[in-house]
Amino acid sequence: MGAFQGLGYVCAMGVAEALRGLGVSFAAVGWPYAVVDARTDATLCSCTVKAGYDGGMFCTCTVVAEQQVGLLRAFGNEQLDAAIQEAVAARVGAWEAQVVAGRAAAGPLAPVLSDYFDLVALMGCPAEAVFPNGNVMARGTLAGMDVWGRATLVLEDGTQLDIAPEQASIRQAH
């Protein structure tokens, strides 16, 4: 069950890869589970993942187009739906195989952390950690993620701040 914590990250990767496959070259991951325009950090899609048990474990991923939905209108709904479903299923299937093979023993993102890191739009850029109420928690440089999905901001004084998705979101620094 602990591995299910990684599904939101994996699904966001699949959505970003689906959009890139359709020619949206600027699609990137916005930590933790969003898909953003890498040029502006505006949200393209959000991913919501729910897991449960009903005679066996299951997970659902809902993808919702956000602010820049107009960019996605060039694709028919069926084409967009099929591309996203296929890419998410492929990403989750490959991740699941890695988990079953024991490659997630260190944490649920261990098998995909390098790929996830490469897809995050603000990696190495000035960023803000923002509390759920909209107030800024901290400003720094987004420096990485760990195998549990916590993001690391390096602050001006050189200290590192690790942030879980439940604590804050990360956006481009203003």
Side-chain angles (χ1 to χ4, degrees):
M1 187 65 166
F4 274 75
Q5 183 176 339
L7 278 167
Y9 301 91
V10 174
C11 289
M13 292 170 63
V15 174
E17 291 166 342
L19 294 179
R20 286 181 174 193
L22 290 171
V24 184
S25 62
F26 49 83
V29 171
W31 181 87
Y33 327 116
V35 177
V36 299
D37 181 331
R39 305 167 302 178
T40 64
D41 197 40
T43 303
L44 296 172
C45 300
S46 61
C47 299
T48 304
V49 176
K50 294 186 180 182
Y53 185 86
D54 187 11
M57 295 178 77
F58 71 91
C59 179
T60 60
C61 175
T62 303
V63 179
V64 177
E66 298 278 341
Q67 297 170 1
Q68 294 191 16
V69 70
L71 292 172
L72 305 179
R73 287 196 179 123
F75 312 105
N77 286 342
E78 289 180 16
Q79 179 188 18
L80 190 56
D81 289 350
I84 289 173
Q85 287 177 23
E86 182 179 313
V88 169
R91 231 337 147 174
V92 169
W95 172 77
E96 178 185 27
Q98 296 290 317
V99 170
V100 169
R103 294 188 183 94
L109 295 184
V112 296
L113 190 56
S114 178
D115 291 343
Y116 184 84
F117 183 94
D118 291 344
L119 283 169
V120 173
L122 293 178
M123 194 56 59
C125 297
E128 298 174 334
V130 182
F131 287 115
N133 68 4
N135 292 331
V136 174
M137 173 195 291
R139 289 183 178 87
T141 300
L142 182 59
M145 273 78 54
D146 67 15
V147 294
W148 292 97
R150 293 178 296 244
T152 300
L153 278 182
V154 176
L155 308 181
E156 276 189 24
D157 65 3
T159 60
Q160 293 185 1
L161 176 64
D162 293 326
I163 305 159
E166 300 81 22
Q167 293 176 291
S169 59
I170 293 180
R171 69 180 182 203
Q172 189 174 36
H174 292 101

